[in-house]
Amino acid sequence: MAPPLLLLLLLGLLPGLLPRAAGRGPLRAFVVAHSHMDVGWVYTVQESMHAYAANVYTSVVEELMKGKQRKFIAVEQEFFRLWWDAVGTDRYKQQVHQLLQEGRLEFVIGGQVMHDEAVTLIDDQILQLTEGHGFLYETFGIRPQFSWHVDPFGASATTPTLFALAGFNAHLISRIDYDLKADMQKNKKLQFVWQGSPSLSERQEIFTHVMDQYSYCTPSQIPFSNRSGFYWNGIAAFPDPPKDGVYPNMSLPVTDTNIHLYAQTMVANIKERAAWFRTSDVLWPWGCDKQFFNASVQYSNMDLLLDYINQHSDEFGVTVQYATVGDYFQAVYSRNLTWEIRDSQDFLPYSTEPFQAWTGFYTSRSTLKGIARRASSLLYAGESFFTQYVLKHPASSICKCRALKQLQSLRWAVSEVQHHDGITGTESPKVKDMYVNNLMYGMFNVKKLMASIIFDMNNAKKNGEVYSSIYSEDSGIPGATDVDQYVVVYNPLAWNITTFVTVSVSHSAMSVYDELGRSVPAQVQRSAESHSTYDLHILVAVSGLSYRKYNVKPWNGKQSGFIGRPVKYKRKDITRADQQSRQLLPVVNNCYQVLFDQNTNLMHSITERETNQTVQVTQEFLEYHVNGDVMKGPISDNYLFAPNASAVPVSKAVGLEVVSGNLMTEIRQYFYSNITSQDYIYAMYTRMYTVPEGYDGKLLCHRIEQEYRVGPLEVNREAVLRTSTNLNTGQLLYTDSNGYQIQKRPFKAYMNNTVARNYYPMVQTAYIEDDTTRLMLLAERAHGVSSQRNGQVEVMLHRRLWNNLQWDLNYNLTLNDSSVVHPVIWLILGTKAVTNILYRTSGLALEHRPVVMFGALSGDKPKLPGQLQQNSVHGSPVTVPPNLHLQALSIPGWRYSSNHTEQVRSIRMGKQKQGDADFNRVLLRIRHLYEVGEDPVLSQPAMVNLKFLLKGLGSVMAVEERSLTGTWDVKALKQWKWKTAQYPSRGFSNSTETSDNCIVTVHPKEIRTFFVYFQGQ
């Protein structure tokens, strides 16, 4: 995506006007041909394939075969795989194999997409990389070794760590803050060794190149022509390629009369760029968005130009060559220079001009962000559920190949939406619909698969028995009373959970029983959003990677479920609240006392009962009003946040209803524009739990769950929830980086746009603290977050925008989002020591809430105690130590050999394994949740015996440790070690210790990936 904000400078410079880069010998320019192909953004994937993307690969392959000097880099695998499967002929496929062997076609990054770095979760970044890498390794035996992250809007410190773990030798980024880039450019600091993780430090560092001000596009204007420069194929046309092959804005063909002018322009740009780097090697990207759909006209003109410059290299002081990204980095590496180290500080937020802070997209299209995360979480559950089923029921009645295809449809959709114009919310409405449809289709498939596995394992009779769906907000148990309704709850986490699941029911008299027929604590109350249904909250305790069945029956005299009783309070005018005679309403559980001010119906304070520490806490909804007229000043859009002034409170009156029961209390606050308004515009539902004896209620008790109802907004409004406390925080905010690590966010004052430039992405976590106490916020989707005042944290929940910028209108990128959103945030208050222990597991418990399925299982009588094992998919639960997270347990299905020599030989001989997927290889990924020194106990290395951990799945025969995406044997992985002051010698690094006896020690922040093979497979 290259918006007009980055219109590149007019090049009127001639070679004589620029100083030579001193003392470095002649300049060598590496001309890297590429096409930036957005998997979405303005046009759907299908529209792009038809208009240009298929033609890129067809014509590039044809043209590379015509000239041995020509090269090209390919990036996003989604388009390439669609071309490979549907367009590429056998001849083209053979040529691709040849070009890869010759090093003239290079895959960089190799993921399905070029993922966004601000609002994506680490699990999903790894998924989309693993998907692309698996295809490339299975098909070609190759493993990408360089990144090309040229377009994500700011750069996260998680990405360099992931790319190092995936075996990359160098990382490339482009979009960083404009003033920072100018400073780094001037001081030749655009290249450095980045240690993205403070705990992994030099063990997972990576050399990083920041592109200069021209970014990834060729300079777009040339002094002697009013057409764009060096784009001889012009601009892609939608919806159909022109029949005559004449595209808009095709550059002037290179002729004898203009070749010298072309050469002068190119050389001037090469020299300008060379002055910003330490070596005489110049990376010269040739391409831009949607380029090379007619590679013939591109290469035939550039061939002439490169030959001409090289023939006159003495005169120009420059040589030029076609190159891949690998060629360029190899040249820089061989210079053997000593590089500066950058620590774990990231490059967020990102601004392109003083009033262009790209912090709006942290919240844009909140509904899409929510669906993308729900889909990711369902995929995580479906993968482990299916893996256990295959291992424990080898002779099952479910077709494994079909089941794998169901999982693959969701892998593809979740990977696709991680694109930097996908989950960011920066796409056109039709592309948003494409992402949502693909996610919903994949989710439907995985729900169906999970239901059929339950069905098969319960041997339910097929007569009329259907697992209707997986519970979501809009579905519930039908009102049938003749058949017993079962609720099946699967815990996808590898530790025991105690939590509430909520099911919609049609009446309030309900009882719940477990497999033994014992009554289960539950509470039923009228739903906050619908007057015709009830919410049944069931207290469930489920072991790791296991499921339980609960029987829900109409109440017949024996009352098992508690009833939640509502008390409605009078609506209060908050503008006239009497501060003198304050009446406080307490809501209490074992961990917290929350007080509500009855003069305003707003929260007043929270007391953490163990330490008796009280923090004043008030919460209110506000809106930023933004401008939509470019003639009147800066605008907000999908990407940008540009508030006119401070945020304005949205309501003058608040209604309050408290629903109390033995297990939970729900505080319902309704926000009205004034005291007489009929309809509320915002609502907040706060839940606190009381856990009965005999249940582990630690996590449940220590969280205050909040769900908000926001929208539809008026146009050009940006809605925030502001939480104000009396903590003395010094305006210091902490936010997570992709759910992997925490970044410190001190408030910075700017000449302009200070509010927007102090917004940061919150993917999962944000917190503020003083010397003793911390207030944490955990989220189930990404938001923008900021601390605009001492003791304050505000979360942007929703945006609705329209502007008249012609570029936004042309592409339908104005974000006129009229939806209602229901984001959820959990609050945790306590000492730093206590919150440290709680927030990692609580964040994962929110991310991976249990999967709830329901239906009617006829003829299933309660078991006797002796017959009951935790109704898991297998015999014993899977439980990891409390500082570890089972990040993946899946059957990828790739057919490649994990012996590299064997894999390459079989591809060269044309003997890749065809036919069914490989169901014998299980992918296991384990992550350490803590940083070095973060907690005296949990920051210690954790030892895991993989045989013992997985004994419930079967007998482990062999374990191979692999790189992050599975394509390297870590013993064979030798990465370039770049020279730094810390490590003055250059060479190769091999950073992981492996154990042969299946006992693995996982150190802080490590992510370890294994292939596991079981007996009898």
Side-chain angles (χ1 to χ4, degrees), residues 598-613:
Q598 290 195 270
N599 290 335
T600 60
N601 287 339
L602 294 173
M603 191 184 285
H604 170 269
S605 62
I606 304 174
T607 301
E608 204 275 320
R609 294 183 62 189
E610 197 179 335
T611 58
N612 208 24
Q613 174 88 17

Side-chain angles (χ1 to χ4, degrees), residues 29-66:
F30 292 77
V31 177
V32 176
H34 75 100
S35 179
H36 184 69
M37 299 160 76
D38 284 299
V39 182
W41 188 33
V42 175
Y43 302 102
T44 66
V45 167
Q46 291 71 23
E47 288 174 321
S48 294
M49 279 299 287
H50 175 71
Y52 83 95
N55 290 338
V56 170
Y57 290 113
T58 302
S59 71
V60 162
V61 170
E62 283 174 356
E63 291 308 309
L64 292 181
M65 295 306 292
K66 291 179 187 170

